[in-house]
Amino acid sequence: MNILIEWIYKTPKGTETIFRSEEMPAAQALLFAEDMERTGRTKSIAFIDRFDSSWTVKELKSYLKGIETEPHNITVYFDGGFDHATSRSGLGCVIYYEQSGKSYRLRRNASSAELTSNNESEYAALYLCLQELELLNVHHLPVRFIGDSQVVIKQMTGEWPTLEKVLLGWADRIDKKMKDHGIQPEYELVQRKSNSEADRLATQSLNGISITATSEMP
């Protein structure tokens, strides 16, 4: 989670003013805040997240301690494919995360006969990833979403407008689920070769191979 620090600074003569920092990782912000408190001239320190929620020092310490045993440092790869011959879609999802000092990889795929295009399949794959994050109880964390679909990445970042009604519906559902769980998305567009795991899962799904697996990484 990235946050900014807001604090009141008091001079030796009692003059006060309010300062705000730039955004930074929560753990780093806590270190700065603790150092500022030691000066004796700082009071009313608060931490503000991207959803304008305010956290006290005590609340942030509790949060950071709590996520040690919950999934964090999360990177998600997604890919969707559409077979025009069968009108079926294959969805691939790969999630890398850390929990309790260990690293894990979750792989999941799914198929659908209800989608109508490759772009819609890509959106559905991203939504599948969000469902898996929900099952992992991921909340109020930054998450990197990596895919090779220019349409999805550029539309979700606002770089391209979402004009098709069907795709807009998917984008709205994705945005809502992100906000409901406090997920702070960071999108990254990559070449297809850099998204091979998710691509392979989507293809396997089209071929009738279903995969749901979580493994510990070395």
Side-chain angles (χ1 to χ4, degrees), residues 74 76-78 92-95 106 108 122-139 141 143-145 156 170-185 187:
I74 301 165
V76 174
Y77 292 83
F78 69 94
C93 166
V94 183
I95 301 175
L106 180 155
R108 169 92 160 85
E122 293 277 9
Y123 266 106
L126 176 55
Y127 192 80
L128 173 67
C129 294
L130 287 176
Q131 292 176 313
E132 292 301 313
L133 292 177
E134 188 174 16
L135 291 174
L136 287 172
N137 195 31
V138 173
H139 61 93
L141 287 174
V143 177
R144 289 178 65 209
F145 292 93
M156 292 305 299
W170 281 104
D172 287 344
R173 286 195 292 274
I174 289 166
D175 276 336
K176 183 179 185 305
K177 192 170 282 289
M178 296 272 194
K179 291 176 182 177
D180 287 346
H181 296 283
I183 293 174
Q184 303 160 22
Y187 293 102

Side-chain angles (χ1 to χ4, degrees), residues 77-79 122 146-150 153-154 188-199:
Y77 292 83
F78 69 94
D79 194 51
E122 293 277 9
I146 300 174
D148 56 49
S149 169
Q150 284 198 70
I153 298 295
K154 291 184 180 291
E188 182 178 342
L189 179 64
V190 297
Q191 297 294 320
R192 188 172 183 179
K193 64 182 180 180
S194 298
N195 197 30
S196 58
E197 279 191 296
D199 176 68

Side-chain angles (χ1 to χ4, degrees), residues 30-71:
L30 184 60
L31 290 175
F32 277 119
E34 291 175 336
D35 188 64
M36 288 188 293
E37 282 186 324
R38 285 193 285 269
T39 68
R41 296 182 182 176
T42 302
K43 66 178 186 179
S44 300
I45 294 177
F47 304 95
I48 313 297
D49 64 24
R50 292 182 181 178
F51 300 93
D52 288 327
S53 297
S54 180
W55 303 62
T56 65
V57 171
K58 183 178 180 180
E59 288 170 339
L60 190 62
K61 284 182 177 179
S62 177
Y63 168 77
L64 290 173
K65 184 174 179 59
I67 66 169
E68 290 178 1
T69 57
E70 296 181 0

Side-chain angles (χ1 to χ4, degrees), residues 74-89:
I74 301 165
T75 300
V76 174
Y77 292 83
F78 69 94
D79 194 51
F82 182 73
D83 186 341
H84 290 274
T86 62
S87 295
R88 295 192 64 82
S89 297

